[in-house]
Amino acid sequence: MPTVRSLMAAALLGTGLADAASFTLPTAQHRPWSLSQAMWRERVLIVRNPPAAYLQEMRRQDTELQVRDLRVVALPPPGDARLKGPPTLMLTLLVDEEGRVGQQFGPAALVGKDGGVKARYSTLPTLNTVNALIDTMPMRRQEQQERGR
């Protein structure tokens, strides 16, 4: 069930909360990755064409991403040097050859474990902004009680 905060965020951005359409794209290592494989296991922050500094910060924050089961899926342009960056557990670099997935989700979108789009961002959000929203979600609160973190 959407929180009041997520509904307000969606309304402010002029978007309705909806289910994310699943997609499958190749990773930088040419292996298929599907949004559906994250369902019920991870939240997914999809970011289109992020600067190298943004990816570096996400790599640096990998432990923080793990705590919230938050996978960052970055969609740099095909052939971009950012696709060759060092791997981390919670950062996935995908090749969106035709740009369709990036167009669908805009500059950035947060997809919950249930597959619902929880927020759309008109610019790339900071990890603190995303974490603040995640921490208001009932599923996250339950996780905190169960895990003690």
Side-chain angles (χ1 to χ4, degrees), residues 28-29 50-66 72 74 76 81-93 127:
Q29 295 77 31
Y54 190 88
L55 295 177
Q56 182 178 7
E57 180 62 18
M58 293 300 117
R59 286 182 178 99
R60 193 180 71 70
Q61 296 283 342
D62 195 63
T63 301
E64 186 71 20
L65 296 170
Q66 290 175 45
V72 176
R82 290 171 285 183
L83 289 167
K84 295 181 174 87
T88 62
L89 187 61
M90 300 307 285
L91 175 62
T92 301
L93 301 169
L127 188 54

Side-chain angles (χ1 to χ4, degrees), residues 83-144:
L83 289 167
K84 295 181 174 87
T88 62
L89 187 61
M90 300 307 285
L91 175 62
T92 301
L93 301 169
L94 299 180
V95 179
D96 185 11
E97 194 72 40
E98 297 174 6
R100 289 187 182 145
V101 173
Q103 289 176 352
Q104 175 187 350
F105 290 99
L110 176 64
V111 178
K113 288 184 175 185
D114 63 357
V117 176
K118 306 304 181 187
R120 291 186 185 271
Y121 302 94
S122 57
T123 61
L124 296 177
T126 65
L127 188 54
N128 287 340
T129 299
V130 176
N131 286 346
L133 176 58
I134 290 171
D135 287 345
T136 66
M137 296 176 180
M139 190 178 292
R140 172 65 181 142
R141 289 185 178 167
Q142 181 181 351
E143 292 166 1
Q144 287 174 305

